Amino acid sequence: MKTDVLIIGSGIAGISLALKLNALHPNLKITLLSKTNAFECNTRYAQGGIAAVMNQLTDSFDSHINDTLECGKGLCDSEVVDMVIKQAPERINELIALGVQFDSNSRMDLELGLEGGHSRARIVHHKDKTGFELEQVLLRELKNRSQINLLENTLALDLLIKNQAGTKYCYGISIYKPESHQISELQAGTTVLASGGCGQVYINTTNPLVASGDGYAMASRAGADMKHMRFMQFHPTALYQANKQRMSFLITEALRGFGAHVEDLQGNRFLFDYDKRGELATRDVVSAAIMKHMALSNTDHVYLNLRHLDPLACELHFPGICLELKSRGFDISKDLIPIVPSAHYQCGGIAVSKNAESSIKDLYAIGEVSCTGLHGANRLASNSLLEALVYAHNVALHIASRAEEIINRKPSGSFYQPVKSLTDSDIENEITKLKTIMMNLAFDDQTADKSKALEQFKGVATRLETFLVKGNCSEEFVTLRNLTHCARLILKDTIEAGLTHTSNNLSSNKTHLIYES
Ligand code: FAD
Ligand code: SIN
């Protein structure tokens, strides 16, 4: 198989790019891959919305820029922050033109939500189901464009790389089709990773199963520069489940902006003991305070209290959450909601330029899998959907400017049938073991523990590569291989930062997530 532009990922980043590129240059042959069905991705679960300065009377670019920089704790790239935030209104208006419906008031002005770390209400949203609305509209539009080839249930395995005069080039990927149990090559003029995050490295996560870090692992195995992998962001308010499930239900930050309280088991609003902003501090501060408070009081959850809020107003603004809580037996006017911080967003990733170019030629990265410099050490709420839109726009212009050169490349492909000699339950056990270790280490301050885990994961990786060489492959096998690789990247970055940046308490080797003890 051959394509001009190969996009791996059907979330907001991948689809936005495909649509824009197709409009700019209809002659480019675009192929877009999703690991399972195209609708399943982090994007569809986004609740809060997209941060943008849509009203210059009540808000300003400077204010959004300052909030982003403050949240990123000195590690943001200020030029990138400026570029992304100033593009935001234009990108939002394009979504509206495409048919995305955002909530508005009776005067038809956008209704803007407030979230932690934002000094103004600036979150453009569709009730508490912004991602669902976005993904639905984007996917519908994609399916209307017959020139874009959508390949669902197709697993990207590894990047195809050639070396020429000391420079690495990417010329496509190897793919695995679970249905036919077949591996083949998909060669491309240029390749874009839009493959989302890696929350599944942890036993508590808001991310769906597809967020197993495949893009980070593929790029890193190929030798791409990676950055800030230690900055895994934990969301403070995921629904606590005594029996761990593979994905935790998120309770949006916007609910705290709406007045919800975080309380301990004695009913104290303890967050004010840690930060004067209380519930409206940034999520790293809130997560850290909750983790510390839980450790001090020897509990494994705290509560979100909505009982003082008008239940009808809650249902109007947060229908998805209220419905989900009701289906799980909670009455928001009477019950406290148990919550626990959970792995939510990878701030680091494949290091890219403002045009989303990685350090490997003809390999771009956009969306969560990339590290653009916007987030620094900690992402400001609702800045990630925005980042994906802006970089999809930038890379579309960049690829379109090289279209003729890309179209003239003439690749070719091959395929073979792999074997399957590891059982799925063996692999499943390994995955659970890895996720539990990573969750425990996230709040552990011992470098020795991390080094030990790193060695252990190195052993697992070596064993898996031996199986791969013998021709093994399955969906579970690929997941374990990539989770192991991501866990190693996160631990390695944490340990190295601790050793080399000890003066910077952010980069201390104490933790590998955004959490300051
Ligand atoms: P995704 O939307 O995750 O898409 C990844 C795609 O890559 C999928 O199609 C997947 O199938 C594909 N893929 C992955 N691996 C492979 C492979 N090996 N082969 C083929 N395909 C592959 N951000 C905000 O700004 N505002 C919010 O309100 C918000 N709320 C959130 C709520 C939740 C519960 C979660 C989990 C995240 C939230 N975020 C929010 C973060 C935001 O949703 C994500 O950062 C963003 O959607 C990522 O988009 P993406 O296009 O990069 O990746
Ligand atoms: C949320 O709705 O709380 C998530 C927002 C985000 O992750 O940006």
Side-chain angles (χ1 to χ4, degrees):
M1 271 191 287
K2 186 239 163 186
T3 189
D4 294 325
V5 180
L6 172 62
I7 302 170
I8 300 152
S10 61
I12 188 170
I15 301 186
S16 302
L17 169 61
L19 296 179
K20 198 149 245 184
L21 198 50
N22 175 248
L24 284 169
H25 212 299
N27 290 341
L28 274 171
K29 190 173 168 205
I30 301 173
T31 301
L32 189 143
L33 246 64
S34 68
K35 190 162 152 173
T36 58
N37 70 72
F39 198 62
E40 183 62 356
C41 53
N42 271 356
T43 300
R44 69 158 278 202
Y45 294 101
Q47 293 181 357
I50 312 179
V53 175
M54 300 303 286
N55 184 340
Q56 298 270 3
L57 294 174
T58 56
D59 198 357
S60 69
F61 288 135
D62 280 351
S63 166
H64 190 183
I65 289 170
N66 286 339
D67 291 344
T68 303
L69 293 173
E70 194 175 319
C71 192
K73 298 176 194 282
L75 290 185
C76 300
D77 178 330
S78 54
E79 274 183 35
V80 166
V81 174
D82 194 79
M83 184 264 290
V84 172
I85 281 163
K86 289 183 177 162
Q87 270 199 36
E90 216 180 321
R91 304 283 81 83
I92 297 286
N93 286 329
E94 285 171 357
L95 287 176
I96 295 171
L98 211 58
V100 176
Q101 302 214 340
F102 293 117
D103 292 354
S104 54
N105 61 25
S106 53
R107 294 192 314 278
M108 297 310 284
D109 293 330
L110 285 172
E111 191 188 85
L112 302 171
L114 177 66
E115 288 182 352
H118 288 274
S119 48
R120 310 278 162 76
R122 62 168 71 97
I123 314 300
V124 179
H125 58 94
H126 177 100
K127 308 240 175 289
D128 56 353
K129 286 183 154 259
T130 307
F132 195 90
E133 167 72 7
L134 281 170
E135 189 63 23
Q136 205 166 240
V137 172
L138 288 170
L139 204 49
R140 189 174 58 218
E141 187 60 28
L142 184 86
K143 287 182 176 169
N144 283 338
R145 309 268 184 110
S146 52
Q147 309 96 317
I148 304 174
N149 181 22
L150 170 64
L151 294 179
E152 297 181 274
N153 302 307
T154 305
L155 192 51
L157 281 183
D158 267 308
L159 300 171
L160 303 175
I161 300 286
K162 64 181 173 214
N163 267 295
Q164 264 172 13
T167 303
K168 279 187 177 172
Y169 291 80
C170 174
Y171 64 100
I173 53 168
S174 51
I175 54 176
Y176 172 65
K177 284 269 199 191
E179 224 170 53
S180 57
H181 192 50
Q182 216 170 60
I183 291 182
S184 54
E185 282 189 358
L186 206 172
Q187 299 201 359
T190 200
T191 303
V192 185
L193 282 168
S195 46
C198 64
Q200 283 288 326
V201 168
Y202 299 84
I203 201 92
N204 288 337
T205 180
T206 61
N207 291 190
L209 290 183
V210 292
S212 53
D214 299 3
Y216 308 93
M218 282 189 274
S220 158
R221 280 196 292 266
D225 290 347
M226 307 294 291
K227 206 171 165 192
H228 288 173
M229 286 297 287
R230 66 190 180 282
F231 294 133
M232 172 56 78
Q233 181 175 73
F234 276 60
H235 196 292
T237 56
L239 188 66
Y240 166 79
Q241 310 162 110
N243 299 328
K244 302 262 172 282
Q245 314 249 314
R246 296 176 80 181
M247 178 185 176
S248 312
F249 179 67
L250 180 82
I251 301 178
T252 181
E253 187 140 312
L255 250 171
R256 299 202 309 284
F258 196 70
H261 295 166
V262 173
E263 296 177 357
D264 62 18
L265 276 55
Q266 286 70 43
N268 302 314
R269 283 177 74 190
F270 62 92
L271 290 178
F272 289 93
D273 300 342
Y274 297 84
D275 189 291
K276 64 176 185 311
R277 294 168 294 178
E279 280 88 0
L280 289 183
T282 49
R283 60 183 58 167
D284 58 320
V285 174
V286 178
S287 291
I290 296 177
M291 292 307 298
K292 195 168 213 169
H293 206 73
M294 288 192 323
L296 289 175
S297 48
N298 201 19
T299 51
D300 58 0
H301 64 281
V302 292
Y303 289 114
L304 198 66
N305 186 352
L306 314 176
R307 295 188 296 200
H308 56 287
L309 301 175
D310 173 1
L312 288 180
C314 283
E315 273 169 34
L316 185 70
H317 289 277
F318 306 103
I321 292 173
C322 291
L323 201 68
E324 184 69 29
L325 291 176
K326 202 170 178 182
S327 77
R328 295 176 189 235
F330 295 102
D331 176 344
I332 59 164
S333 64
K334 294 199 186 100
D335 299 322
L336 294 167
I337 314 300
I339 50 163
V340 67
S342 297
H344 182 60
Y345 182 85
Q346 174 55 268
C347 299
I350 304 165
V352 293
S353 70
K354 288 206 197 77
N355 289 322
E357 300 153 288
S358 76
S359 61
I360 295 178
K361 286 256 183 270
D362 276 316
L363 178 68
Y364 297 86
I366 52 174
E368 187 163 343
V369 73
S370 66
C371 182
T372 63
L374 176 69
H375 310 308
N378 185 27
R379 174 180 66 100
L380 182 64
S382 289
N383 263 357
S384 48
L385 294 172
L386 172 62
E387 181 192 48
L389 287 171
V390 169
Y391 276 80
H393 172 82
N394 291 3
V395 79
L397 295 179
H398 198 256
I399 292 178
S401 72
R402 320 169 40 219
E404 297 311 323
E405 169 214 335
I406 289 169
I407 289 171
N408 287 330
R409 293 184 185 161
K410 299 254 172 297
S412 60
S414 64
F415 73 88
Y416 68 94
Q417 200 92 30
V419 296
K420 213 173 170 184
S421 57
L422 285 171
T423 71
D424 288 351
S425 73
D426 281 348
I427 297 176
E428 201 51 53
N429 287 341
E430 282 288 345
I431 289 178
T432 308
K433 217 186 310 168
L434 174 137
K435 287 158 70 115
T436 309
I437 293 173
M438 287 303 283
M439 192 71 208
N440 291 337
L441 286 179
F443 296 94
D444 180 340
D445 61 4
Q446 299 301 312
T447 300
D449 294 342
K450 292 190 185 69
S451 302
K452 192 172 146 208
L454 196 57
E455 269 311 298
Q456 191 178 336
F457 295 153
K458 194 174 157 193
V460 175
T462 311
R463 274 207 320 279
L464 291 177
E465 292 312 304
T466 329
F467 276 103
L468 194 74
V469 169
K470 287 186 194 151
N472 270 271
C473 201
S474 72
E475 225 170 329
E476 294 73 16
F477 179 88
V478 175
T479 302
L480 175 60
R481 180 177 181 234
N482 291 333
L483 288 178
T484 307
H485 196 92
C486 284
R488 291 174 70 200
L489 285 175
I490 292 169
L491 292 176
K492 197 161 164 285
D493 191 39
T494 310
I495 294 167
E496 281 174 6
L499 294 178
T500 55
H501 299 111
T502 42
S503 60
N504 178 351
N505 72 0
L506 252 185
S507 313
S508 128
N509 63 9
K510 285 195 165 176
T511 64
H512 59 273
L513 65 153
I514 304 155
Y515 168 82
E516 291 165 280
S517 50

